[in-house]
Amino acid sequence: QVQLVESGGGLVQAGGSLRLSCATSGVAFRINDMGWYRQAPGNQRELVATITSGGSTNYADSVKGRFTISRDNAKITVYLQMNSLRPEDTAVYYCHAEATTTRLVATSYWGQGTQVTVSS
């Protein structure tokens, strides 16, 4: 129903910045919440930031003040501006979307993940 295409990951020096983008494609009745999650080796996938269709945001405490999530509802694209990156931010970052399918079922969709590596 929905495909998520991520871009913007890579290798960056501590203190640097990256901007992740996640564009949607496919068909859905409605795209609801979108967000970013991350998973470091040996850890569970954790929430980084989410944003509702109305623009309300939620951040993990560890990234508050450093990361900013935004979305373009016309393009149905979500962004994650990551500033003041730390080595602890190193993880695979996954784009997520909750969508109401054409069958009117709320369903979660995940991107393939993009590696963010922050060097000291």
Side-chain angles (χ1 to χ4, degrees):
Q1 298 286 338
V2 176
Q3 296 79 46
L4 306 178
V5 181
E6 302 162 327
S7 62
L11 174 65
V12 66
Q13 182 85 5
S17 299
L18 286 173
R19 184 174 186 253
L20 306 183
S21 299
C22 176
T24 64
S25 62
V27 179
F29 181 79
R30 179 181 294 113
I31 303 294
N32 305 315
D33 294 355
M34 299 187 72
W36 293 93
Y37 295 72
R38 67 187 181 187
Q39 187 168 18
N43 292 95
Q44 296 284 90
R45 190 173 299 183
E46 64 177 353
L47 181 148
V48 177
T50 60
I51 186 167
T52 69
S53 60
S56 297
T57 58
N58 181 51
Y59 297 92
D61 288 341
S62 60
V63 307
K64 285 182 180 177
R66 300 188 297 120
F67 292 8
T68 302
I69 188 171
S70 61
R71 68 188 287 168
D72 184 331
N73 286 331
K75 297 179 179 179
I76 317 179
T77 301
V78 64
Y79 306 93
L80 185 69
Q81 179 66 47
M82 304 186 294
N83 298 326
S84 302
L85 283 162
R86 305 164 180 170
E88 65 193 68
D89 296 318
T90 296
V92 178
Y93 283 69
Y94 296 90
C95 180
H96 172 262
E98 183 180 28
T100 302
T101 70
T102 56
R103 299 178 67 87
L104 304 183
V105 177
T107 305
S108 290
Y109 297 91
W110 295 92
Q112 79 285 352
T114 184
Q115 178 70 46
V116 172
T117 302
V118 184
S119 62
S120 59

